[in-house]
Amino acid sequence: MLRNRVKELRARYSYTQSELGKRVDVTRQTIAFIEKGEFSPSITLALKLAQVLETKVDELFWLEGEEEDEK
Amino acid sequence: MKNDIRLNYPIWMMAFIVLLGVFAYGINSPTREWVNSSTETSLTVKVEALEGFMVFASLLLYIILLTVFLWKVKKHNTENPKQKISIWSIRPPEYLEQDEGMTHITRIAVQKVYTFITWSLPMLATVAILLPLPRLMLIYGILAVAFGQYLVYYLEIRKHLKEETE
């Protein structure tokens, strides 16, 4: 399963789900699905999210089982 | 999102199906007397008060609901010129495909509907073959499958779109 830090980084930039969604051109619901781990985004969307949240894709997303402390 | 007609479309369809069921009861219940003799040819249809009322009320409600529904579709199309709904489209308007996340939940819901149809239609056909069901019961069986598919779709989409705090 894909884990992520979208919610954490979004909070750091004080973005709401709607604001982040607008910046990456998706709905608020899609951001919520990603944060809850219900949905794994495409590479394109993952890159857009990493760009907006000023981080690397592999720091934003990782596979369950990988060491989370490294993130 | 919760007021989006595409999300509520299955509810509208379920309401129309229920009305169709009431209408079917009213229209199928009258007693018919067919006389064809050497001196007389006549067809007498007796509609009882209750059945007549059901036909009239369901038709009236249908027209009212249809008017409100068409007004809501028009409102949606005015507010969302890039995501217009056509009531004549073959593609079901309840599909939510604004982005990849919405497409994902639509796919899950459609898979569940497909599973439901895969089981319910053969079951209905088997029951219809084995049991001497009256015409009205067959109509209700078909309407139940149609109602069920919208219910399965709506509940699945609804489950994913429960409003969360931002």
Side-chain angles (χ1 to χ4, degrees), chain A residues 22-39:
Chain A
K22 273 182 194 166
R23 286 172 183 270
V24 296
D25 200 25
V26 296
T27 56
R28 183 188 76 75
Q29 286 79 12
T30 292
I31 300 295
F33 298 153
I34 294 169
E35 287 181 357
K36 286 191 289 182
E38 270 186 43
F39 164 64

Side-chain angles (χ1 to χ4, degrees), chain B residues 15-36:
Chain B
F16 285 128
I17 289 166
V18 169
L19 281 179
L20 203 57
V22 176
F23 180 77
Y25 178 80
I27 210 83
N28 277 280
S29 297
T31 51
R32 296 177 183 87
E33 193 182 350
W34 173 243
V35 178
N36 189 14

Side-chain angles (χ1 to χ4, degrees), chain A residues 16 18 27-28 30 38 42, chain B residues 99-101 160 163-164 166:
Chain A
T16 62
S18 301
T27 56
R28 183 188 76 75
T30 292
E38 270 186 43
S42 64
Chain B
D99 59 37
E100 56 187 79
H160 290 281
E163 295 294 328
E164 308 101 5
E166 291 203 18

Side-chain angles (χ1 to χ4, degrees), chain B residues 61-76:
Chain B
L61 264 175
Y62 187 89
I63 291 167
I64 293 170
L65 267 186
L66 190 65
T67 308
V68 176
F69 174 72
L70 291 175
W71 175 76
K72 280 191 166 281
V73 169
K74 193 180 172 188
K75 188 170 170 251
H76 170 89

Side-chain angles (χ1 to χ4, degrees), chain B residues 8-139:
Chain B
N8 297 325
Y9 184 85
I11 295 179
W12 284 95
M13 292 303 113
M14 285 190 276
F16 285 128
I17 289 166
V18 169
L19 281 179
L20 203 57
V22 176
F23 180 77
Y25 178 80
I27 210 83
N28 277 280
S29 297
T31 51
R32 296 177 183 87
E33 193 182 350
W34 173 243
V35 178
N36 189 14
S37 65
S38 56
T39 55
E40 182 189 357
T41 301
S42 68
L43 172 66
T44 310
V45 180
K46 286 182 187 170
V47 182
E48 300 297 331
L50 178 66
E51 286 80 5
F53 173 76
M54 286 173 84
V55 170
F56 176 74
S58 59
L59 268 179
L60 187 69
L61 264 175
Y62 187 89
I63 291 167
I64 293 170
L65 267 186
L66 190 65
T67 308
V68 176
F69 174 72
L70 291 175
W71 175 76
K72 280 191 166 281
V73 169
K74 193 180 172 188
K75 188 170 170 251
H76 170 89
N77 287 344
T78 310
E79 291 171 357
N80 303 277
K82 288 181 181 173
Q83 293 172 9
K84 282 189 175 180
I85 293 173
S86 167
I87 53 167
W88 306 113
S89 169
I90 293 173
R91 194 173 175 76
E94 63 266 36
Y95 286 176
L96 301 168
E97 296 176 311
Q98 299 96 312
D99 59 37
E100 56 187 79
M102 303 304 274
T103 304
H104 173 72
I105 61 162
T106 298
R107 183 175 62 83
I108 294 171
V110 169
Q111 280 176 338
K112 290 204 171 180
V113 171
Y114 184 81
T115 306
F116 171 76
I117 294 287
T118 302
W119 283 95
S120 59
L121 277 184
M123 272 176 62
L124 179 64
T126 307
V127 170
I129 291 165
L130 296 177
L131 302 176
L133 294 176
R135 184 166 169 256
L136 191 59
M137 284 298 113
L138 285 175
I139 293 170

